């Protein structure tokens, strides 16, 4: 069986061939969520899931946000802002203009009072893109003053998963911020409050289509003096396995990128969905996702995501095994091997050559 | 990654290394059952699960059974009895004494009034073994007179799985009946009423250890005249894929069998468990199982099992992919291939030889 058949079978059996993510009109019961989505490792979008959150009306209002987050009630009024030259943090980038070998570039992280953060996020004409986010439970740490505006957890998800979220993160960005393809080892409930998020999703079985390779880790440094970024390799050097595919290659690189990653560009299309304000995406553990966003009238996109611990069960073990298989096969080689094998061993059925037949 | 690593990882991550099946002291809630067992494709034993069934006291009593099943209330008072020379129906057997190539042998099925069935099951000194069973929803069809003695479904399982059982089967046998290794495409709730059932269980990830091969289908025919069995190949000839491994090979075949199936005999031990009267085994879909039994004081073992539809989800697709991989590898051959491959292609990382590395 070819790995291609696996990609198709997952779609035929479980995910559907339309490429559409199922949309529920109201929150599922915990059992329904567990049975129809978590257990099957299948995404869904839940509309009308957070209608009761004050955030839905409050957070379109800059002065409300500034007032809430400037009060001295919070013990640490600074928030974390990620600065990049192009909105792409935790993404592949050429190491220098001269050296186009790719590294895994993390943002320049700066801590600042919230009003300053909001003004940086709004200044989209600058030579940087600012994204207020920190995937360290930042909503409960840096933004606790906003906690009355949301639920502390997603009740039907907590009941289903039998635990409370391990981390709750807030994301405040503009239309330039983009998240490159990756996967997380969490069950993710991703609630959009203002603006829209556009996800591309690929199931874990499509792992070979992501061309995960090791890239040297590097960090952007932003200089207030030169108003420019430099990229510095981590010392000591370390490598991060990351997806090589950019699903939206720019004009001049398009042909080259499509030829470099044929399994992605010639295989089944990713699941594509837009999460509107008031909706939650259930993004199952281990699914690859790529995110872009469209702003609200203030030019901003605000979202809160809840990470719940995943089960490291048989699905995870299957994934690790699949990922360990080198692919694609050089077909001519494999055919040759099979013939040799037959000749050499007059082999029993138990001893055929390994490979994906 | 070797397939052996997959076997170990499933045990380390999810099933536990003890080889013990988890035992719950009382029925789980539907959510707990779904989250901790069904979703993870993980077996468990539930004690005190059917304390309220009248069957637990009634069915040790022959005259009660005979009286209930002899009444004319049932539209078809005949029951199906499976006759074999040795208690092994749906199992591999040599085609004839002269021709020791194996076939997949089904029982001689005879329909008879229940009192006669019970007497055949009790006559363990005969040249046949009788097993009253039929996996066609027989409890609701042939034994409906006994329905007040059990629940029509397992309520917490029905709630969890979101459906009622597709089939409910009754099994009445003696200590000689044995079920060879196989898997079912159902979630199975297996309740023991009298006697004990001894299961060997292997997760779906161990599929290669079962040496599933195609065997010609055959049927036992029992002659009332000669009191002997003959095995007849199905016409037209058809092949059934079946597990080749007998986990308890007899003395004279033991060494040969252990050499023939090293992945089974040298790999991790199957999960071994005994289900006592009043207990339910949750046997997850796709798990390989082998069953033997110990009788109650009347020499009998009676059980009822509930088959619920399984989800053909990502786990099933992963299984099909895994099963399609030929294994074990001829390691010397694979090494050779990898070298040739490197030489021939000066290959990029994407184009290494397929195989289980």
């Amino acid at each position: 069986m070819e790995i291609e058949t696996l990609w198709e079978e997952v779609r035929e059996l479980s995910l559907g061939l339309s490429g559409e993510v199922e949309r529920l009109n109201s929150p599922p019961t915990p059992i329904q969520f567990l049975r129809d989505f978590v257990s099957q490792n299948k995404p869904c979008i839940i509309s009308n899931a957070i209608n009761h959150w004050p955030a839905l009306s409050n957070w379109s209002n800059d002065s409300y946000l500034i007032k809430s987050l400037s009060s001295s009630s919070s013990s640490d009024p600074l928030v974390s802002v990620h600065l990049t030259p192009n909105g792409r943090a935790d993404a592949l980038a050429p190491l220098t203009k001269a050296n186009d070998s790719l590294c895994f570039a993390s943002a320049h992280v700066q801590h600042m009072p919230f009003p300053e953060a909001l003004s940086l996020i709004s200044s989209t004409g600058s030579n940087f893109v600012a994204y207020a986010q920190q995937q360290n439970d930042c909503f409960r740490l840096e933004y606790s003053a906003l906690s009355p505006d949301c639920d502390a957890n997603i009740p039907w998800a907590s009941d289903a998963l039998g635990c409370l979220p391990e981390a709750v993160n807030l994301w405040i960005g503009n239309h330039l911020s983009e998240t490159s393809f990756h996967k997380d080892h969490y069950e993710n409930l991703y609630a959009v409050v203002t603006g829209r998020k556009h996800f591309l999703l690929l199931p874990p079985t499509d792992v070979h289509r992501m061309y995960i390779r090791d890239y040297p880790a590097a960090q952007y440094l932003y200089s207030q003096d030169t108003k420019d970024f430099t990229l510095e390799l981590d010392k000591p050097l370390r490598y991060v396995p990351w997806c090589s595919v950019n699903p939206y290659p720019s004009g001049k690189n398009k042909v080259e990128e499509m030829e470099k990653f044929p399994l992605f560009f010639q295989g089944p299309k990713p699941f594509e969905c837009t999460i509107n304000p008031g909706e939650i995406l259930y993004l199952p553990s281990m699914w690859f996702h790529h995110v872009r966003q469209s702003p609200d009238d203030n030019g901003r996109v605000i979202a809160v995501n809840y990470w719940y611990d995943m089960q490291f069960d048989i699905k995870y073990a299957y994934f690790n095994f699949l990922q360990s298989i080198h692919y694609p096969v050089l077909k001519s080689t494999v055919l040759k091997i099979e013939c040799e094998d037959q000749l050499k061993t007059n082999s029993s059925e138990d001893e055929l050559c390994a490979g994906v037949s």
Side-chain angles (χ1 to χ4, degrees), chain A:
Chain A
M1 179 167 154
E2 303 276 352
I3 289 184
E4 282 90 342
T5 312
L6 173 62
W7 307 337
E8 280 161 26
E9 198 165 287
V10 166
R11 285 164 173 79
E12 273 169 26
L13 288 174
S14 171
L15 306 175
L17 294 167
S18 69
E20 297 279 322
V21 175
E22 195 173 330
R23 210 172 213 104
L24 310 180
N25 253 321
S26 58
T29 65
I31 283 204
Q32 193 189 348
F33 178 56
L34 193 50
R35 179 174 59 220
D36 296 346
F37 301 102
V38 181
S39 168
Q40 299 189 42
N41 199 241
K42 186 176 165 177
C44 64
I45 300 164
I46 304 101
S47 300
N48 301 306
I50 54 171
N51 290 350
H52 59 289
W53 285 13
L56 276 184
S57 52
N58 290 345
W59 293 5
S60 305
N61 186 335
D62 281 8
S63 50
Y64 173 86
L65 289 174
I66 289 172
K67 192 175 156 223
S68 304
L69 289 162
S70 307
S71 75
S72 58
S73 66
S74 174
S75 57
D76 180 2
L78 301 185
V79 299
S80 304
V81 177
H82 286 219
L83 298 177
T84 54
N86 50 22
R88 296 184 191 165
D90 293 350
L92 303 183
L95 199 49
T96 63
K97 274 164 197 160
N99 177 357
D100 65 356
S101 68
L102 296 172
C103 64
F104 172 77
S106 301
H108 177 113
V109 183
Q110 215 166 297
H111 303 279
M112 59 187 78
F114 181 74
E116 193 182 324
L118 202 60
S119 130
L120 289 190
I121 294 165
S122 302
S123 50
T124 51
S126 324
N127 53 348
F128 59 77
V129 176
Y131 200 0
Q133 62 124 323
Q134 188 79 327
Q135 294 170 56
N136 64 350
D137 203 22
C138 72
F139 184 62
R140 296 191 288 205
L141 298 173
E142 300 179 355
Y143 296 91
S144 59
L146 295 180
S147 63
D149 289 340
C150 301
D151 283 340
N153 66 88
I154 307 294
W156 41 270
S158 302
D159 284 354
L161 300 167
C163 57
L164 290 171
E166 184 66 22
V168 184
N169 301 311
L170 184 74
W171 311 71
I172 308 181
N174 60 43
H175 65 286
L176 295 168
S177 286
E178 188 174 323
T179 304
S180 67
F181 262 125
H182 70 288
K183 64 171 165 40
D184 299 308
H185 289 186
Y186 287 104
E187 304 295 350
N188 198 346
L189 277 294
Y190 203 110
V192 174
V193 177
T194 79
R196 288 175 164 72
K197 294 263 182 182
H198 311 288
F199 283 81
L200 294 181
L201 304 174
L202 276 187
T205 38
D206 289 28
V207 57
H208 295 89
R209 303 181 61 205
M210 294 279 87
Y211 297 84
I212 296 171
R213 303 287 179 261
D214 285 332
Y215 294 97
Q219 186 127 28
Y220 283 115
L221 291 179
Y222 182 68
S223 158
Q224 297 286 359
D225 298 338
T226 64
K227 308 285 180 207
D228 210 357
F229 286 90
T230 51
L231 250 179
E232 292 209 351
L233 285 173
D234 284 15
K235 281 178 200 153
L237 197 63
R238 64 183 184 99
Y239 286 83
V240 175
W242 204 254
C243 301
S244 303
V245 175
N246 170 9
Y248 302 111
S250 63
K252 68 181 166 63
N253 296 326
K254 197 166 175 179
V255 173
E256 191 192 338
E257 293 270 299
M258 289 180 73
E259 278 173 2
K260 241 164 100 181
F261 309 119
L263 296 183
F264 179 80
F265 287 102
Q266 292 170 28
K269 283 200 176 166
F271 290 76
E272 210 171 333
C273 60
T274 290
I275 315 302
N276 301 305
E279 293 186 324
I280 291 180
L281 169 67
Y282 165 56
L283 174 55
S285 55
M286 310 292 287
W287 273 63
F288 298 96
H289 51 289
H290 178 280
V291 198
R292 297 197 297 178
Q293 41 197 22
S294 309
D296 66 4
D297 293 342
N298 296 323
R300 268 188 295 284
V301 187
I302 311 184
V304 185
N305 90 285
Y306 299 77
W307 265 340
Y308 286 85
D309 281 339
M310 67 174 276
Q311 294 286 356
F312 290 89
D313 61 11
I314 199 170
K315 293 189 280 281
Y316 180 72
Y318 271 129
F319 173 83
N320 286 339
F321 177 73
L322 177 65
Q323 185 171 33
S324 77
I325 295 176
H326 289 288
Y327 196 76
V329 186
L330 271 186
K331 294 197 185 183
S332 58
T333 314
V334 167
L335 276 177
K336 188 162 169 290
I337 296 152
E338 279 177 354
C339 298
E340 276 189 5
D341 191 48
Q342 297 271 349
L343 288 168
K344 201 178 340 186
T345 64
N346 197 5
S347 72
S348 77
E349 202 177 342
D350 315 343
E351 295 174 321
L352 284 180
C353 165
V356 184
S357 64

